[in-house]
Amino acid sequence: MSDLDIQIPSALDPFAEANAEDSGAGSKEYVHIRVQQRNGRKSLTTVQGLKKEFSYNKILKDLKKEFCCNGTVVQDPELGQVIQLQGDQRKNVSSFLTQAGIVKKDHIKIHGF
Amino acid sequence: MAEQTSSESKEDIPEITPFDPTKKKKKKKVVIQDIAEEDRLSEKIDNLTLADGVENAFVGMKKKKKKPVGSDLTNDGSPQTGQGGEEEEDPNNSRQKYPWEGTDRDYLYEELLSRVFHILRENNPELAGDRRRTVIRPPQVLREGTKKTVFVNFMDLCRTMHRQPDHVMTFLLAEMGTSGSLDGQQRLVVKGRFAPKNFEGILRRYINEYVICNGCRSPDTILSKENRLFFLRCEQCGSGRSVAPIKTGFVARVGRRKAGS
Ligand SMILES: [Zn+2]
């Protein structure tokens, strides 16, 4: 019985499931932060799913300044605008977005390894 | 009812109480009883009513005497009240199996609960909730050339998780933001450089999301697709939940651009 608790790192509240964001098949709007490998040690961070009301270019400008990297806003036919940044900036972006109050922490999904 | 049984147990005890002198003789007797009662017990467990429980008190008592050490082992690590400790302290004095023995007091809930689990473990271990821990072996990863990574025991891990390799592969590739395929030896070849711990982190997330039951945390689950939605059903507790479909999301174009755009 208690063995179970040890085996499981995060004890989940079974009743929290009903209103939790990560249950259900993609019901909540997440901001997805992904990383992609480029050639060599280079990589690329993408931020997808920011609310449309925000000015992407302004956010991008701040991000670029904050992390000292280049970046761009890409228009995707299906997913709308996506911010691209050079390098693996996932942690940076996530903390920036939460601190600036743009996205709530539990609405951010960081992908990748 | 409780009083009745405690008085009964008192009647029983004198018969078995003598500690050392007649021990051998008594043991034999107990063994015989055990065989007869083992059958009874196992069918009792199936529909364990209160009356059964009371009756079983004696069966359990006698059984314990035979193999107190074994039952102690299964009890290991469970923070149950007093009883567990007592057993480990004096396994020889097996007559003091239950803390309420020899007293007139009522049973505590925890005591009864642990007794039920003792009985369960001895007769129907699969019902007692002790699950063998499924161990996921660490991913073995090779470098193929400079730009590709080979996940050697991919199939093996899929089998341990009881998941379709396709599904696992889709998830891995989507999370890594890359492309890949299975090679002739059923190894997963992924474009890009990845360390074993990268794979491990993603697999961990996969298991949390698509393997482990949210209710009882058992990895013994089935993932099935019903009307385009994936559902996870637990084999242990029967609970089910829907799981998020795997989305690749935005994939930036890397590498050489085509002349067209
Ligand atoms: Zn379950």
Side-chain angles (χ1 to χ4, degrees):
Chain A
M1 287 167 7
S2 58
D3 280 351
L4 258 177
D5 296 336
I6 298 159
Q7 150 187 10
I8 285 104
S10 63
L12 249 164
D13 179 7
F15 299 105
E17 185 202 20
N19 46 19
E21 287 83 4
D22 55 356
S23 70
S27 51
K28 267 276 167 30
E29 309 278 295
Y30 275 112
V31 172
H32 297 272
I33 302 176
R34 296 191 175 83
V35 72
Q36 257 176 279
Q37 284 193 347
R38 282 178 59 220
N39 33 12
R41 307 175 15 135
K42 295 190 174 68
S43 51
L44 195 111
T45 309
T46 63
V47 184
Q48 172 207 324
L50 286 173
K51 282 214 184 72
K52 299 234 172 16
E53 296 90 86
F54 292 117
S55 158
Y56 278 53
N57 279 316
K58 271 194 185 150
I59 293 176
L60 175 69
K61 204 169 181 181
D62 286 346
L63 288 172
K64 278 159 71 167
K65 192 146 202 174
E66 191 78 16
F67 315 142
C68 302
C69 66
N70 208 347
T72 177
V73 175
V74 182
Q75 182 71 41
D76 187 270
E78 280 166 40
L79 305 158
Q81 290 188 308
V82 177
I83 293 179
Q84 267 186 36
L85 294 166
Q86 287 179 3
D88 183 357
Q89 314 282 2
R90 286 173 296 163
K91 291 256 165 60
N92 291 336
V93 172
S94 132
S95 58
F96 178 91
L97 291 178
T98 43
Q99 266 164 31
I102 298 173
V103 196
K104 277 202 216 94
K105 188 152 194 350
D106 49 350
H107 283 218
I108 295 181
K109 223 173 199 171
I110 298 183
H111 298 263
F113 29 88
Chain B
M1 209 194 282
E3 266 172 31
Q4 199 188 23
T5 46
S6 61
S7 64
E8 258 175 41
S9 68
K10 265 185 207 158
E11 283 166 24
D12 253 13
I13 284 165
E15 202 191 335
I16 1 170
T17 15
F19 279 97
D20 293 319
T22 50
K23 209 169 187 179
K24 275 176 199 162
K25 205 178 167 190
K26 293 298 174 206
K27 252 190 184 163
K28 245 178 203 166
K29 192 180 169 191
V30 168
V31 170
I32 296 161
Q33 256 177 337
D34 256 351
I35 297 163
E37 264 157 349
E38 204 133 50
D39 303 328
R40 244 187 344 123
L41 223 176
S42 51
E43 60 192 44
K44 287 275 165 50
I45 296 297
D46 288 335
N47 46 3
L48 199 110
T49 60
L50 191 62
D52 285 339
V54 171
E55 214 183 319
N56 278 346
F58 306 114
V59 179
M61 237 159 63
K62 281 156 190 167
K63 279 180 69 70
K64 290 292 158 41
K65 215 190 302 165
K66 202 175 128 198
K67 39 176 181 177
V69 185
S71 61
D72 274 349
L73 280 177
T74 48
N75 197 21
D76 242 359
S78 52
Q80 276 152 5
T81 50
Q83 194 193 340
E86 269 173 44
E87 280 170 14
E88 276 158 26
E89 274 167 33
D90 49 1
N92 300 325
N93 188 4
S94 49
R95 230 134 271 136
Q96 277 290 335
K97 205 67 215 169
Y98 295 112
W100 60 78
E101 262 170 54
T103 64
D104 244 350
R105 71 183 176 88
D106 269 341
Y107 318 118
L108 294 178
Y109 173 75
E110 277 81 12
E111 291 165 0
L112 288 178
L113 188 67
S114 69
R115 189 174 61 79
V116 163
F117 269 94
H118 268 297
I119 299 166
L120 263 182
R121 284 203 186 94
E122 274 170 29
N123 299 284
N124 303 50
E126 69 275 14
L127 295 180
D130 299 322
R131 231 145 269 132
R132 70 261 179 274
R133 180 181 302 225
T134 349
V135 180
I136 303 279
R137 260 154 281 125
Q140 298 172 322
V141 167
L142 298 175
R143 175 71 54 77
E144 191 178 284
T146 51
K147 288 186 172 168
K148 283 180 182 167
T149 310
V150 184
F151 186 171
V152 179
N153 54 353
F154 171 70
M155 274 297 173
D156 205 28
L157 292 181
C158 290
R159 239 170 277 132
T160 0
M161 298 188 294
H162 304 289
R163 284 296 170 272
Q164 293 296 319
D166 274 347
H167 191 257
V168 184
M169 187 170 106
T170 323
F171 184 81
L172 279 176
L173 296 180
E175 282 297 299
M176 293 164 137
T178 182
S179 55
S181 57
L182 290 176
D183 71 356
Q185 300 158 56
Q186 301 286 71
R187 305 178 305 180
L188 180 66
V189 184
V190 174
K191 205 175 148 207
R193 299 182 187 182
F194 299 97
K197 74 169 182 349
N198 296 339
F199 284 97
E200 200 183 311
I202 298 176
L203 282 171
R204 218 174 272 280
R205 247 181 288 156
Y206 179 85
I207 290 168
N208 270 334
E209 184 86 21
Y210 296 101
V211 181
I212 278 183
C213 163
N214 256 354
C216 66
R217 313 298 291 170
S218 151
D220 190 6
T221 55
I222 291 177
L223 189 70
S224 59
K225 198 175 185 178
E226 293 163 32
N227 340 308
R228 297 186 307 175
L229 292 174
F230 277 106
F231 284 94
L232 192 69
R233 196 162 46 78
C234 178
E235 289 285 273
Q236 290 292 333
C237 71
S239 82
R241 64 171 165 124
S242 66
V243 293
I246 298 171
K247 283 202 197 106
T248 317
F250 176 74
V251 182
R253 297 235 324 270
V254 287
R256 248 175 275 126
R257 316 241 149 155
K258 276 180 217 141
S261 49

